Amino acid sequence: MRLPFTLLGAASLLTVTAYGQSIDAQKVTFDYVRLPMIPVPAGSHSYQAEVVLRYEEAVKQQKADHLSAVAEAKIKAEKDKQEYKALSLKDKALNRLLLDERKPGAAVIPTADYTAQVYDAKTLAATYVNVSGFQRAAGPTADLRITVTTDGFTLGPIAPAEVKSNTQVKLAGVSTGDGVKHLYEVSYKSPISVKVSTKDGAVLLDELIEATNTYTVGKTEAFGNPDGLAKFWAANQNAFLRQLDENSMKANMKLVADYLDSKLGQRVITRNTSIIVVSDKKVNYDEYPQAYEKALMGYKGLGDPARIADAQKQINEAIALWNKALSESNPKDKKARIDEKVTAATLYNDAEANLWLNNFDEADRLLARLKLLDISRYNTMANELGAVVQDQRVRFNANKKS
């Protein structure tokens, strides 16, 4: 009776032993250059990066309006004092008696609303606006002009919320059940858009990054009563919002970096996968270690342009060995040399190899055959590989002309 597979993740070591038969997923790591989603004009090697803080003037105006409101409050307070001083003792007494008007106090200074932090645009551009495979340049000589525009920290609803506490609340020694803690849920976002154009003015990309335009909810510390929450908020509102502001900007600028690299970059990506090798003490599976060696050497050459031709030759030879084995496939016969499990292993190997020769239709066909076998661990591996196939197909097709 055959033992079941043990799968430690889609790309981890997979070993099956049935009598003398062994099916081992050998871990493989290699690098390849990921093509951009948007091809750039031939000969493009440099880019100029700029970050525009579209909200900066609004922040200045908000601060100016608050200063103006403070000045008006002080002027009004001083005017009220002078008018009160000019009243006779009789009028002062009547006003106090009939209108409950007393001596004016100090100016009531209006509370300032939170103002979005104004970051250093040059630092943001230097830190986050990078494109793999291109050199940063300044001025009109750059092949690409990248403009990242941020609308700044934008507050949404600030709503009170309650959470159950694990602490028992007691009144006069009598338990009243689980207590309730009070907090604020603060909605916020920091929308960012990206525009990329050539030095001739042709626009390659002009999009709002949707993930940055979606509200995130931050939660304050929870307090045992509403008064505690109110005191905390009065003393710490600006500091709390400033931390959300900074976290949001950092997270969203990292999204920008990944977005630009995916759309335009030629990044070296490390692929972690497996090549499955079959062996048996009584049955000849010599083509599997041979194919493993050829595929391994082929994959290792994918990241070096000088080795691409030889890499493709090695991968093709591995595919030929696996295809020959698949010609004997008989999944319904447990005694067949290429039984169900060996067929599944071979289909996976074959699909991965075809992917790196840009034979996307063939890779999809092989993965479809693999899924029809309905072996759960291979379904997981097939789904992961299928996502890579689709991504590579889109990138390859986008770069055909260039």
Side-chain angles (χ1 to χ4, degrees):
M1 178 176 144
R2 297 193 176 186
L3 300 177
F5 278 104
T6 300
L7 180 62
L8 302 177
S12 62
L13 184 61
L14 173 68
T15 302
V16 175
T17 304
Y19 301 110
Q21 187 188 76
S22 177
I23 299 178
D24 298 323
Q26 302 295 328
K27 292 181 180 179
V28 174
T29 299
F30 60 91
D31 293 336
Y32 67 96
V33 179
R34 186 180 67 182
L35 294 173
M37 285 284 192
I38 299 175
V40 300
S44 297
H45 302 291
S46 61
Y47 68 95
Q48 176 191 5
E50 178 186 20
V51 171
V52 176
L53 309 178
R54 187 156 49 193
Y55 63 97
E56 187 171 6
E57 289 303 316
V59 168
K60 289 179 181 178
Q61 187 62 52
Q62 185 180 353
K63 289 180 178 180
D65 289 345
H66 180 253
L67 289 175
S68 178
V70 170
E72 288 178 6
K74 291 180 178 180
I75 291 171
K76 182 179 184 304
E78 183 60 29
K79 180 182 178 183
D80 290 345
K81 286 180 182 179
Q82 294 303 322
E83 290 178 350
Y84 183 82
K85 189 183 291 186
L87 292 175
S88 65
L89 291 176
K90 178 181 177 182
D91 288 338
K92 290 177 181 176
L94 286 172
N95 286 348
R96 185 181 300 113
L97 180 65
L98 299 177
L99 304 175
D100 197 27
E101 288 185 356
R102 301 182 182 277
K103 182 179 179 179
V108 178
I109 304 300
T111 302
D113 292 330
Y114 177 76
T115 54
Q117 182 165 338
V118 176
Y119 298 88
D120 185 88
K122 290 183 178 179
T123 300
L124 290 178
T127 304
Y128 295 103
V129 187
N130 303 292
V131 183
S132 298
F134 287 78
Q135 295 294 321
R136 187 185 295 271
T141 60
D143 297 315
L144 300 178
R145 180 183 178 89
I146 301 174
T147 305
V148 176
T149 304
T150 173
D151 291 330
F153 185 76
T154 305
L155 271 172
I158 300 176
E162 296 179 350
V163 292
K164 275 198 171 183
S165 169
N166 293 326
T167 304
Q168 290 284 328
V169 177
K170 292 186 177 181
L171 295 175
V174 179
S175 175
T176 61
D178 286 343
V180 173
K181 286 195 171 185
H182 304 265
L183 54 86
Y184 283 130
E185 292 183 342
V186 182
S187 299
Y188 63 95
K189 64 180 180 178
S190 300
I192 295 178
S193 57
V194 177
K195 182 177 181 180
V196 180
S197 56
T198 67
K199 60 184 175 183
D200 297 328
V203 177
L204 302 178
L205 173 68
D206 190 0
E207 293 181 6
L208 170 68
I209 300 180
E210 286 299 331
T212 68
N213 197 37
T214 302
Y215 280 104
T216 300
V217 176
K219 296 182 179 181
T220 66
E221 183 181 344
F223 294 84
N225 56 69
D227 288 343
L229 174 60
K231 289 179 181 178
F232 164 82
W233 192 244
N236 299 282
Q237 176 180 352
N238 276 349
F240 179 80
L241 295 177
R242 177 55 54 90
Q243 190 62 59
L244 292 184
D245 189 336
E246 292 177 355
N247 292 346
S248 179
M249 179 58 74
K250 288 178 182 177
N252 286 352
M253 288 304 295
K254 286 179 181 178
L255 284 178
V256 167
D258 291 341
Y259 177 84
L260 283 170
D261 223 37
S262 176
K263 292 289 187 180
L264 299 168
Q266 297 177 27
R267 179 190 286 185
V268 175
I269 302 292
T270 298
R271 168 79 174 147
N272 296 304
T273 186
S274 298
I275 301 174
I276 306 171
V277 179
V278 183
S279 60
D280 194 297
K281 293 180 180 179
K282 296 182 179 180
V283 181
N284 187 338
Y285 287 106
D286 287 350
E287 69 265 52
Y288 284 87
Q290 293 173 22
Y292 164 76
E293 183 177 343
K294 291 179 181 296
L296 177 62
M297 296 309 296
Y299 294 163
K300 293 292 186 181
L302 291 173
D304 183 355
R307 296 172 59 192
I308 286 292
D310 182 62
Q312 292 176 338
K313 178 176 179 293
Q314 298 272 13
I315 295 171
N316 266 314
E317 290 175 359
I319 287 174
L321 291 169
W322 286 321
N323 283 344
K324 185 176 180 182
L326 285 174
S327 68
E328 301 176 37
S329 173
N330 191 353
K332 295 182 180 180
D333 185 354
K334 294 182 179 181
K335 294 183 180 181
R337 190 176 81 96
I338 310 300
D339 61 11
E340 181 183 53
K341 293 182 175 64
V342 176
T343 296
T346 311
L347 287 169
Y348 181 81
N349 288 343
D350 210 350
E352 174 99 34
N354 273 279
L355 159 63
W356 300 112
L357 294 181
N358 301 320
N359 298 331
F360 306 113
D361 289 342
E362 179 65 5
D364 281 339
R365 186 185 70 80
L366 292 163
L367 288 175
R369 282 185 62 186
L370 178 56
K371 290 179 181 179
L372 285 176
L373 295 176
D374 198 22
I375 302 173
S376 61
R377 57 193 59 82
Y378 279 109
N379 285 343
T380 300
M381 296 169 71
N383 288 335
E384 184 274 338
L385 181 56
V388 180
V389 171
Q390 180 58 24
D391 184 67
Q392 285 293 103
R393 182 198 293 271
V394 172
R395 294 176 185 279
F396 179 80
N397 289 338
N399 286 270
K400 269 184 179 179
K401 294 182 179 179
S402 62

